[in-house]
Amino acid sequence: MATDTSSASAAAVPEQDAILDALATVNDPEIHRPITELGMVKSVDIGDDGAIAVTVYLTVSGCPMRETITNLVTEAVQRVPGVTSVAVTLDVMSDEQRKELATTLRGGTAEREVPFAQPGSLTRVYAVASGKGGVGKSSVTVNLAAAMAADGLKVGVVDADIYGHSVPRMLGVEGRPTQVENMIMPPSAHGVRVISIGMFTPGNAPVVWRGPMLHRALQQFLADVFWGDLDVLLLDLPPGTGDIAISVAQLVPNAEILIVTTPQQAAAEVAERAGSIAVQTHQKIVGVVENMSGLPCPHCDEMVDVFGSGGGQKVADGLTKTVGATVPVLGSIPIDVRLREGGDEGKPVVLSDPDSPAGAALRAIAGKLGGRARGLAGMSLGITPRNKF
């Protein structure tokens, strides 16, 4: 693609270093790192008249971001004084170059590992769980992620609800993952990187898997996906205490559990049971979120307890006794049709209507979770016991 900017500047022909500096401001849309750092700049040719020809390597031939990369490179180089035109040519990395890129992204190690489980990881990992389906766990996950990203945090979401995956639709993710060697580049929406089994299945096909395959899928989502340097990772778990919940405890033992329930006593009892898994997995419960806590009357603003009341506090009190540590209620989210509409349209209510009752409640919870320091809990201190004898 060539763009004529001959009337823009009569300055001297730019130096190559100036062009490279401009290219260093261009981040790959999927990897979110400068293309110069990733070895994606193949060549830069500067004509005597200020015409610039740049050849950029794509990671794969069918890269869905080819047009975006072309535009970003063109715009960045055009801003350099003395440039009269920009022509961008696209090439494709060789197998060897892709292997080198994958090793670079993994910090120099070729083997796959779950970065969030490594000593020194500062990513806060929250496993969003519920005892039963239909309590709005995915809606809470999506809105918390969008709210944290809007606050400037780097956020990722793993749609670990393999059978009932819904996160991509609710976040409005339209892109597909791109594979570089054996690494997966996740698409993003509203500043949130997302991976889901729904991105790999045709149409609305069901996923009919048993334990070992579920564990392997989750392992790939955590280890094979290039998440970058995240501040927060949210895992939307399936309801209950099945294979995925156990796998999360094995793969990311430092993950903290966030329980979502409704005020209904039946739902609260099941949610408390789901949270009690923390005793066996030695995980921390970060808190309880009560969803559908009431319906504001459209005429008098009085709160109508459609699903009863007190369920969230009951879960928190029960878990506090079970685990022997205080489990707080982080917030209560009222019933709001805008929350449902946002999920259907891929526009989280915390972004589309942040001051609505549900939006404000969710943003307050996100602020509590996003502002927490990771601390030493779950981290390896690198200390070896010394034998006195």
Side-chain angles (χ1 to χ4, degrees):
M1 181 174 111
T3 302
D4 185 16
T5 60
S6 55
S7 61
S9 174
V13 175
E15 299 289 336
Q16 182 148 354
D17 286 347
I19 302 300
L20 292 175
D21 288 344
L23 292 172
T25 67
V26 178
N27 285 342
D28 179 272
E30 295 175 304
I31 305 177
H32 305 282
R33 283 167 62 173
I35 60 174
T36 50
E37 181 183 316
L38 300 174
M40 294 176 63
V41 178
K42 179 179 180 180
S43 64
V44 174
D45 295 316
I46 303 173
D48 294 337
D49 58 350
I52 310 298
V54 181
T55 302
V56 177
Y57 282 121
L58 299 176
T59 52
V60 292
S61 59
C63 177
M65 296 293 176
R66 56 192 306 124
E67 184 175 346
T68 300
I69 292 172
T70 299
N71 292 337
L72 290 174
V73 169
T74 301
E75 292 168 6
V77 175
Q78 279 179 341
R79 290 193 289 267
V80 178
V83 171
T84 58
S85 66
V86 182
V88 180
T89 304
L90 301 178
D91 200 349
V92 181
M93 285 185 173
S94 65
D95 292 341
E96 187 60 35
Q97 287 172 311
R98 278 192 290 269
K99 290 178 182 177
E100 291 177 3
L101 174 59
T103 301
T104 298
L105 295 178
R106 291 196 178 99
T109 59
E111 64 274 8
R112 284 172 275 182
E113 58 186 19
V114 177
F116 314 108
Q118 301 307 305
S121 171
L122 296 179
T123 301
R124 297 184 293 277
V125 182
Y126 298 119
V128 186
S130 68
K132 58 187 297 184
V135 301
K137 171 179 51 60
S138 297
S139 295
V140 169
T141 302
V142 162
N143 278 277
L144 290 180
M148 289 187 213
D151 285 340
L153 298 179
K154 290 171 285 188
V155 184
V157 175
V158 173
D159 189 357
D161 192 350
I162 303 296
Y163 300 130
H165 49 84
S166 58
V167 169
R169 168 178 288 279
M170 300 179 81
L171 256 179
V173 178
E174 298 179 351
R176 292 282 177 175
T178 300
Q179 188 163 348
V180 178
E181 285 300 297
N182 50 10
M183 291 191 72
I184 301 169
M185 306 299 158
S188 62
H190 308 298
V192 179
R193 304 179 191 183
V194 183
I195 199 70
S196 171
I197 194 64
M199 298 172 179
F200 302 92
T201 56
N204 200 29
V207 179
V208 187
W209 289 352
R210 300 186 70 177
M213 293 183 70
L214 295 173
H215 181 89
R216 178 57 184 151
L218 180 61
Q219 187 176 38
Q220 285 187 294
F221 286 170
L222 293 169
D224 292 356
V225 172
F226 176 70
W227 292 104
D229 185 19
L230 294 183
D231 294 307
V232 178
L233 177 69
L234 295 164
L235 294 93
D236 184 27
L237 304 187
T241 57
D243 292 307
I244 291 293
I246 297 170
S247 292
V248 167
Q250 293 174 340
L251 295 168
V252 197
N254 55 290
E256 299 176 83
I257 300 175
L258 176 65
I259 301 296
V260 178
T261 185
T262 63
Q264 187 177 4
Q265 293 301 306
E269 290 174 0
V270 183
E272 183 179 340
R273 194 181 310 148
S276 297
I277 192 176
V279 176
Q280 301 178 46
T281 59
H282 307 290
Q283 291 172 286
K284 179 180 179 180
I285 301 176
V286 68
V288 176
V289 172
E290 184 182 81
N291 194 26
M292 309 180 196
S293 60
L295 175 66
C297 176
H299 306 292
C300 63
D301 291 332
E302 182 179 346
M303 193 67 73
V304 180
D305 295 329
V306 178
F307 294 106
S309 62
Q313 191 61 59
K314 179 182 183 300
V315 174
D317 293 342
L319 290 175
T320 295
K321 294 178 182 178
T322 300
V323 302
T326 301
V327 176
V329 176
L330 297 176
S332 299
I333 306 165
I335 298 172
D336 192 332
V337 67
R338 287 164 289 193
L339 178 59
R340 190 273 303 165
E341 290 173 344
D344 289 344
E345 298 170 3
K347 300 175 182 177
V349 71
V350 294
L351 302 179
S352 62
D353 202 343
D355 295 325
S356 64
L362 284 159
R363 287 192 298 111
I365 297 169
K368 295 176 183 178
L369 294 174
R372 294 175 65 246
R374 169 67 199 277
L376 298 177
M379 291 179 62
S380 172
L381 301 182
I383 299 174
T384 303
R386 185 174 180 180
N387 193 332
K388 297 170 57 178
F389 305 101

